[in-house]
Amino acid sequence: MSVAPLINVALLGFGTVGSAVARRLLDRSGGNKAIALTHIFDRRAAEKAESPAGLALASRPPVAWTSSFEDILVSDVDIVVEAVGGVDPAVDWARRALAAGKSVVTANKQLVALHGPELWALAARQGRQFRFEAAVGGAMPIVRAVAEGLTGDSITQIVAILNGTTNAVLSQMEATGCSLSDAVTDARARGYAEEDPRADLDGDDARAKLAILSALAFGVRVAPDQIPSRSAARVEAGDFTTARGRRGTIRQLAYAAYDRERSTLSAWVAPVVVARDSLFGRAVGPQNVAVLTGKHSGDVGIFGTGAGGDATAVAIIGDVASIARDRAAIVPAPRLTSDFRLHNPDHEIFELAEAV
Ligand SMILES: NC(=O)c1ccc[n+]([C@@H]2O[C@H](COP(=O)([O-])OP(=O)(O)OC[C@H]3O[C@@H](n4cnc5c(N)ncnc54)[C@H](OP(=O)(O)O)[C@@H]3O)[C@@H](O)[C@H]2O)c1
């Protein structure tokens, strides 16, 4: 009987997401028998190895903990999973891992939004893969839906809730009538918000995710900071009362539509009034939703837990498993254009607010 070869994996970062990935990869009852976590890199590797989460990782042979990225580069790992975050030095690690012949899986939306095309092209040249399902929508497999499931269609529009933190804050304000700062405190206590949730409320996180989806769906290269946004930090308890009078509620939506004939992209992130009984109005807590409109398929909806270590680990392990299934697969990088016009979104925000 032949035994499937082991795929060796290194994990960069042992925080919320990284520790969840490690737990799942080492859970041999979970069907990951062909995948072996062999290395964990973290700036406080020694401390984390001795932490309860580190000690709980039962692994034979034991995982090698290191604070040196060079140890990962010279190791025999096949796949490097980046779960540190930030653009620098993550982009350098990703480039060097690919150049050393390893595939890279990341949960890092800023990295993918800013450097994804270059890293994807480098991976293809190296005969390796660059995958990033976890960078958008947590456990919701939207990257695959857009990049693979709907490639037979021409996607014209994306309307989505892409930031679990802001959704948790706004849905808490709706449910309890509390102020935004009380809702932020509640979201922090439940582990849905970081100490400083400005990047979430202001729309920076959703803009990076929308830039990634716009590249995959429309073939355009738009920088996150080109996408207009309105902050949800200014939403007040009274705004929900007004919205309720219109049978609505308030959600932070990310919207993108591409007119291929005119090469015009409309894209924005903003808190808007949505119908309470719509897919968007019913999304509460850290949930994400996306409705993708295709020329031939009509509306395709996808819904799921958008944040949290365990949910995000599902997406990462899905990418690792895809690479493990076919290590030799070369996924050509999409050809993206920067030759498009960005449409002024103001009137569309209001049109959409009335429509959904
Ligand atoms: N949390 C979520 O729900 C979620 C969902 C989807 C995607 N993501 C993405 O997943 C990534 C990781 O997020 P996270 O929430 O797991 O973050 P996190 O809890 O802060 O974990 C990051 C880990 O990386 C370590 N680290 C930071 N800088 C480092 C450096 N220069 N060298 C080596 N190690 C370093 C941190 O060490 P310290 O402990 O010393 O800080 C920490 O262990 C981010 O790209 C994030 O956007 C997160």
Side-chain angles (χ1 to χ4, degrees), residues 109 135-138 140 142 158-167 200 205-214 252-255 268-269 280 286-292 302 306-307:
K109 66 229 106 185
V136 189
M140 187 172 89
I142 187 169
I158 300 163
V159 187
I161 291 174
L162 295 175
N163 184 263
T165 301
T166 305
N167 206 62
D200 297 301
D205 175 89
R207 290 198 293 173
K209 293 168 177 170
L210 193 59
I212 296 170
L213 294 182
S214 296
Q252 183 195 61
L253 288 193
Y255 174 87
W268 48 262
V269 172
F280 303 104
Q287 287 174 331
N288 282 191
V289 187
V291 176
L292 310 161
I302 184 163

Side-chain angles (χ1 to χ4, degrees), residues 248-309:
T249 184
I250 301 169
R251 293 290 183 266
Q252 183 195 61
L253 288 193
Y255 174 87
Y258 191 54
D259 180 336
R260 287 179 171 80
E261 280 176 14
R262 295 184 177 79
S263 301
T264 303
L265 177 72
S266 300
W268 48 262
V269 172
V272 298
V273 175
V274 299
R276 281 177 89 179
D277 60 0
S278 66
L279 270 180
F280 303 104
R282 280 184 279 138
V284 295
Q287 287 174 331
N288 282 191
V289 187
V291 176
L292 310 161
T293 305
K295 197 169 161 188
H296 306 285
S297 51
D299 288 348
V300 174
I302 184 163
F303 184 90
T305 307

